């Protein structure tokens, strides 16, 4: 394949390139000043150093410095800044000795050797010399892909050190770029070439409300009378995530986006398949996660799998599941054995989100809703935000007074009283702590949103609002949520977990919570919200707030 043909097939992230072109010159200008980190422009410094993911040079999925490591590095910034200044000045000089000095200094501040994170800082200051692929393994992989697939240009063999690999691979792209393109225009090409070869694809599957482990009936499926799922009452993908029927360690499944171009995909064989589905009742799109290393199988293997399903009684089980939801069993029995299964994957490679995440129909992650495999561009904006973890956000992010959610047959209306209480408590806490230190609906990755967060000097206080009249139910539900919010993939310092309800604390409930505090040392407290007087009462200290 010609090199420029590969370039024509990569998906250029214009948003990423735009951010890169905006910030990198600013990084260089700030570094040339040779000042301590707190003298940098805060926005520029945040993008250069503080931001862990989706940063303009590299997203660093390999992992960034921990909060403590960042503090350690900033404490040594007076030693680091002269080295960064030298980098910023030497825009045309690959100074491997200087790179090593920076790496060694930062290494003294980290628990483990955070090579990729360190490489990102260095690459941020020498855009004409170093690639924005900051992971050494990825550079080695890209080099292999290029050598194995480019047939019109000789791809040299480069050293395996990151610094030399990064420089030489970027130089290869610069020397072979299209006429009219400058070096900044192609800075994202190496990473996007790697993505091209890794064959990440996006595909739609039919709607299901049983986690795609068994059929769920017509709810949420297409209302178009010409579609298979409308006519037959089911889709063949409804068993796609069923991990109970293993053959030689693999799960087998049907995927409509594969079926029509099976022979084409058999040539490429293995994909990382990002999957989404649409609830046709609500028209809401949901991002589900991905199947890593999904392997397209041929017709002979499909027939073999079919015979094993019949022999093991799994086929009859599927028929019973279809009968249970009123689907057309005869249509299922008439299905072609050649297409009973079209992919296989290892159970551990099924990487689903904790819960399907809705995303906008305008999101560029999905350019078409037809049942075909799309090139992976990026995850939807809402998924990126959900995966970002806890970031304190001040202000009252108001919810609608009522909202209806439909997924997996869960239909409910959010209680208006929850939103009213949230607004009232927010206003009270703002008066006590200041609007800069109080926020509602703070995002916590795929786990949900914290009702209210208060930022204090020593750490954060999480509030969970419950509105049931049953105080035991309120406490039971809130404790699990608060503990998960505070400790699941969260490095921030959470100093207090507050259950707040419109129910006065009973003696039994108070004794129970005090036991949790005393025996397990859980910083859990209960506050009663007096609806009539709009006051928060701390039930442990018996004082009005």
């Amino acid at each position: 394949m010609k090199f420029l043909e590969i370039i024509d097939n990569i998906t250029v992230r214009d948003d990423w390139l735009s951010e890169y072109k905006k910030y990198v010159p600013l990084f260089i200008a700030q570094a040339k000043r040779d000042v301590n980190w707190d003298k940098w422009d805060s926005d520029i410094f945040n993008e250069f150093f503080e931001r862990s993911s989706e940063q303009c040079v590299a997203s660093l999925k390999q992992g960034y410095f921990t909060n403590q490591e960042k503090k350690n590095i900033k404490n040594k910034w007076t030693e680091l800044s002269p080295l960064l200044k030298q980098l910023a000045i030497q825009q045309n000089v690959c100074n491997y000795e200087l790179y090593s000095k920076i790496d060694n200094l930062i290494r003294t501040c980290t628990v483990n050797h955070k090579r990729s994170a360190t490489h990102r800082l260095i690459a941020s200051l020498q855009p004409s010399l170093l690639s924005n692929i900051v992971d050494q393994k990825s550079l080695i992989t890209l080099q292999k892909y290029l050598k194995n697939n480019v047939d019109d240009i000789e791809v040299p063999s480069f050293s395996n050190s990151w610094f030399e690999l990064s420089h030489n691979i970027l130089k290869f792209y610069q020397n072979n770029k299209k006429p009219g393109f400058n070096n900044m225009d192609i800075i994202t090409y190496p990473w996007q070439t790697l993505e091209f070869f890794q064959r990440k694809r996006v595909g739609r599957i039919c709607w299901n409300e049983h986690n795609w482990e068994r059929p769920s009936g017509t709810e949420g499926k297409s209302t178009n009378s010409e579609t298979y799922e409308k006519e037959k009452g089911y889709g063949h993908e409804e068993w796609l995530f069923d991990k109970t029927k293993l053959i030689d360690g693999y799960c087998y499944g049907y995927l409509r986006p594969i079926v029509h171009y099976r022979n084409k995909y058999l040539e490429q064989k293995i994909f990382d398949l990002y999957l989404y589905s649409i609830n046709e009742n609500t028209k809401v799109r949901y991002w589900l996660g991905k199947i890593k290393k999904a392997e397209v199988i041929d017709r002979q293997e499909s027939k073999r799998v079919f015979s094993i399903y019949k022999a093991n009684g799994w086929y009859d089980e599927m028929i019973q599941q279809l009968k249970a939801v009123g689907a057309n069993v005869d249509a299922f029995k008439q299905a072609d054995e050649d297409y009973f299964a079209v992919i296989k994957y290892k159970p551990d490679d099924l990487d689903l989100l904790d819960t399907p995440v809705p995303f906008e129909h305008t999101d560029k992650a999905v350019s078409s809703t037809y049942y075909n495999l799309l090139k992976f561009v990026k995850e939807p904006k809402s998924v990126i935000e959900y995966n970002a973890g806890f970031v304190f956000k001040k202000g009252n992010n108001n919810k609608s007074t009522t909202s209806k959610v439909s997924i997996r047959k869960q239909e409910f209306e959010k209680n208006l009283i929850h939103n009213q209480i949230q607004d009232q408590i927010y206003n009270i806490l703002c008066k006590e702590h200041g609007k800069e230190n109080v926020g509602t609906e703070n995002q916590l990755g795929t786990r949900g949103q914290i009702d209210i967060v208060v930022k204090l000097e020593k750490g954060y206080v999480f509030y969970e609002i419950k509105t049931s009249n049953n105080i035991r139910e309120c406490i039971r539900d809130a404790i699990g949520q608060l503990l998960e919010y505070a400790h699941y993939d969260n490095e921030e310092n959470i100093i207090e977990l507050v259950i707040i309800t419109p129910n006065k604390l009973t003696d039994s409930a108070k004794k129970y919570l005090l036991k949790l505090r005393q025996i397990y040392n859980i910083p859990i407290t209960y506050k009663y919200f007096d609806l009539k007087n709009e006051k928060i009462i701390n039930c442990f200290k018996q004082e009005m707030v």
Side-chain angles (χ1 to χ4, degrees), residues 211 288 352-357 387 408 445-447 484 488-489:
N211 199 35
L288 309 179
L352 301 178
L353 299 175
D354 292 343
T355 184
V357 176
N387 286 329
R408 299 181 190 170
T446 55
R447 287 159 285 145
E484 181 180 324
Y488 196 103
D489 284 341

Side-chain angles (χ1 to χ4, degrees), residues 261-273:
Y261 301 98
R262 187 184 205 166
N263 291 337
K264 170 187 173 182
Y265 295 132
L266 275 168
E267 295 175 5
Q268 301 179 12
K269 196 71 173 176
I270 296 175
F271 296 87
D272 286 342
L273 299 174

Side-chain angles (χ1 to χ4, degrees), residues 345-450:
Y345 63 89
K346 293 289 184 68
D348 288 346
D349 288 330
L350 180 60
D351 186 13
L352 301 178
L353 299 175
D354 292 343
T355 184
V357 176
F359 64 98
E360 295 293 333
H361 72 279
T362 55
D363 198 297
K364 293 181 180 179
V366 175
S367 58
S368 165
T369 58
Y370 293 111
Y371 286 91
N372 51 20
L373 285 188
L374 304 172
K375 290 181 180 179
F376 179 88
V377 179
K378 60 179 179 178
E379 290 180 312
K381 180 181 178 183
S382 60
V383 176
I384 294 171
E385 291 172 349
Y386 270 53
N387 286 329
F390 170 64
V391 177
F392 175 71
K393 184 178 181 181
K394 66 180 180 180
N396 188 9
N397 304 298
N398 291 316
K399 295 184 289 185
S400 302
T401 54
T402 67
S403 62
K404 185 167 282 190
V405 177
S406 172
I407 187 163
R408 299 181 190 170
K409 282 194 172 178
Q410 295 176 8
E411 292 280 351
F412 64 92
E413 289 204 357
K414 293 181 181 179
N415 201 329
L416 175 60
I417 193 171
H418 180 284
N419 301 326
Q420 292 174 333
I421 290 176
Q422 187 180 44
D423 290 341
Q424 292 166 346
I425 295 173
Y426 169 77
N427 291 330
I428 293 171
L429 293 174
C430 282
K431 290 179 182 178
E432 180 182 359
H433 301 286
K435 289 186 177 181
E436 295 292 314
N437 298 310
V438 183
T440 67
E441 299 300 315
N442 275 210
Q443 192 64 52
L444 256 174
T446 55
R447 287 159 285 145
Q449 296 168 315
I450 312 167

Side-chain angles (χ1 to χ4, degrees), residues 78-100:
T78 53
E79 298 177 50
L80 182 61
S81 61
L83 304 179
L84 298 180
K85 179 179 180 179
Q86 195 174 345
L87 266 187
I89 292 173
Q90 296 178 347
Q91 286 301 298
N92 298 310
V93 178
C94 275
N95 191 331
Y96 298 116
E97 182 179 352
L98 178 58
Y99 300 157
S100 295

Side-chain angles (χ1 to χ4, degrees), residues 315-353:
Y315 182 76
D316 290 337
E317 179 186 325
M318 296 168 77
I319 289 175
Q320 294 305 314
Q321 291 171 341
L322 288 170
K323 286 181 178 179
V325 296
N328 189 328
V329 173
D330 290 336
F332 179 74
K333 291 179 178 179
Q334 294 168 9
D336 192 339
E337 296 176 19
D338 289 2
Y339 294 93
F340 182 74
V342 296
I343 64 166
K344 67 180 180 181
Y345 63 89
K346 293 289 184 68
D348 288 346
D349 288 330
L350 180 60
D351 186 13
L352 301 178
L353 299 175

